[in-house]
Amino acid sequence: MRLNKYIAHHSSYSRREADKAIQDGYVRVDGEIQTNPATDVTEGVNIVYVSGKQVSPRDKYTVIVYNKPKGELVTKSDPKGRRTIYDSLSKEYKHYVPVGRLDYASEGLLLLTDASRVASALMESDLERIYKIKIKGEVTPDMEDAMLKGMTLDDASAGGHSHSKVMAMEFKPFIGYKIQKNQPNYSILKVALSEGKNRELRRFFAHFGADIVDLKRISFAEIELNNLPEGKVRFLSRSEYSALSKFLKEEKKSELKELRELGKSDEKRSFKKDEGKGLKKEESKSFKKDEKKPAFKSKKPIKKKR
């Protein structure tokens, strides 16, 4: 395993922070200073220290759910002095790593953990994320076709951040969607995605000339926001930890298999659960199943208004 990945997986350091610590000479492997983040280390064989503190594999970790309000950045600090999630979180969570991002104008469920390896595993997974969104205008047949089939844009800058370097983007077919209100002035949908790219939903709908007015993530796999007040946190429940533990074990098995089968591309694993998680299949236009099994256990389907 690369040294920077080892440190990020087994400490509160992010991959970027691990890179800096290594390059600045604060990391020793078997007593020798290492300044190359790509140095190979073997778990259980090499002894790694960062700033005099040993970094060892650990099984214990904590995950919290934060109901992020609008007007907060998911970052440690902002050069413009805007509010960040760490201004709201208590001091005991200052070293927690966010699982992905919600942009400044978005709200809802954000997971944070004290183990970077857990954050990485969740971010890189194809686990289902469900969002409730409000867009300007109505949902068009072209939008529905793209939600069902996916699309690739050479220029996906519309809807992106003005300073973003991301241009081209491939949008996978949505796991599912449900139109709750469709009107000429605005529409409301629930959508389920298997990834969380840079402002993906904002870019998707902007391509059709529909700006997103409100965007709220309400679940990540089987972890749900429910009635958690805005700006508050909660720990995972026992069942949520159990499902997460099972997922991480599967990820570990996959990593070991990849080490034995060099040359094969990385494969992502997902939790086992029902198809669509609450997005009921009523007709081909209202729901698209992913070929892969979505994440976590099943729940009662949402009934579609007629």
Side-chain angles (χ1 to χ4, degrees):
M1 183 185 294
R2 288 167 57 101
L3 179 58
N4 58 352
K5 184 177 180 180
Y6 178 90
I7 294 172
H9 273 215
H10 302 302
S11 72
S12 60
Y13 284 81
S14 66
R15 186 75 66 89
R16 185 179 300 175
E17 291 169 337
D19 284 341
K20 189 174 189 311
I22 294 167
Q23 292 163 355
D24 290 347
Y26 290 107
V27 177
R28 290 178 180 271
V29 178
D30 297 334
E32 297 292 330
I33 293 176
Q34 296 291 338
T35 56
N36 182 0
T39 299
D40 283 329
V41 294
T42 302
E43 187 175 304
V45 176
N46 298 113
I47 300 175
V48 179
Y49 279 85
V50 179
S51 298
K53 185 177 180 180
Q54 185 174 352
V55 177
S56 303
R58 59 179 182 175
D59 294 325
K60 293 183 178 181
Y61 56 85
T62 303
V63 179
I64 60 172
V65 180
Y66 175 54
N67 187 353
K68 174 193 170 305
K70 293 180 180 179
E72 287 186 355
L73 290 171
V74 184
T75 185
K76 288 285 186 181
S77 61
D78 178 54
K80 296 181 180 180
R82 291 173 293 181
R83 189 174 183 83
T84 76
I85 59 171
Y86 295 99
D87 292 323
S88 298
L89 292 168
S90 61
K91 291 182 179 180
E92 63 185 302
Y93 303 126
K94 297 299 182 183
H95 65 289
Y96 276 46
V97 181
V99 177
R101 296 284 188 270
L102 284 174
D103 64 47
Y104 190 72
S106 298
E107 61 184 318
L109 184 148
L110 180 68
L111 300 178
L112 296 102
T113 176
D114 59 354
S116 293
R117 65 182 179 86
V118 175
S120 296
L122 291 173
M123 281 188 284
E124 295 168 5
S125 73
D126 57 3
L127 300 178
E128 182 183 84
R129 291 90 155 151
I130 294 183
Y131 302 83
K132 185 172 183 178
I133 60 175
K134 179 179 180 181
I135 64 172
K136 291 183 179 179
E138 56 188 345
V139 180
T140 66
D142 286 343
M143 287 182 195
E144 293 196 64
D145 188 60
M147 284 190 281
L148 290 172
K149 299 177 182 177
M151 66 178 180
T152 300
L153 299 178
D154 293 330
D155 184 0
S157 57
H161 192 278
S162 58
H163 299 298
S164 175
K165 297 180 181 179
V166 177
M167 291 295 291
M169 183 173 285
E170 179 183 356
F171 300 86
K172 291 182 180 180
F174 289 15
I175 293 176
Y177 71 92
K178 181 182 291 296
I179 301 172
Q180 296 184 316
K181 184 174 290 187
N182 198 9
Q183 298 178 337
N185 55 341
Y186 74 90
S187 301
I188 298 175
L189 307 88
K190 273 188 179 180
V191 299
L193 308 180
S194 62
E195 54 188 358
K197 292 180 179 178
N198 184 290
R199 296 173 72 94
E200 180 177 7
L201 285 171
R202 294 187 187 278
R203 293 175 190 268
F204 180 94
F205 286 98
H207 172 69
F208 299 98
D211 292 332
I212 290 182
V213 180
D214 293 309
L215 189 157
K216 184 174 186 177
R217 183 157 61 201
I218 57 177
S219 71
F220 190 115
E222 78 171 14
I223 302 171
E224 301 189 32
L225 191 62
N226 291 330
N227 297 320
L228 182 66
E230 183 180 282
K232 300 297 183 180
V233 303
R234 72 168 176 84
F235 293 101
L236 295 193
S237 67
R238 182 175 297 180
S239 63
E240 289 168 341
Y241 266 125
S242 177
L244 177 55
S245 177
K246 185 176 180 180
F247 165 71
L248 293 173
K249 286 178 181 178
E250 290 300 316
E251 286 290 292
K252 185 67 174 178
K253 288 180 182 178
S254 298
E255 288 182 8
L256 293 174
K257 183 177 180 181
E258 287 164 9
L259 288 174
R260 291 192 296 265
E261 300 176 7
L262 295 176
K264 288 189 176 182
S265 60
D266 292 341
E267 295 179 355
K268 296 177 182 178
R269 300 292 185 265
S270 62
F271 294 104
K272 183 179 181 182
K273 70 161 198 176
D274 68 320
E275 295 172 344
K277 188 187 176 195
L279 298 177
K280 185 178 180 182
K281 182 178 180 182
E282 302 249 347
E283 57 186 5
S284 60
K285 287 186 178 181
S286 65
F287 182 80
K288 169 68 182 179
K289 291 191 296 182
D290 196 330
E291 292 180 356
K292 299 177 182 178
K293 289 184 179 179
F296 287 118
K297 62 186 180 182
S298 64
K299 53 181 269 188
K300 293 181 180 179
I302 300 170
K303 292 183 179 179
K304 185 177 180 180
K305 293 182 180 180
R306 297 193 180 277

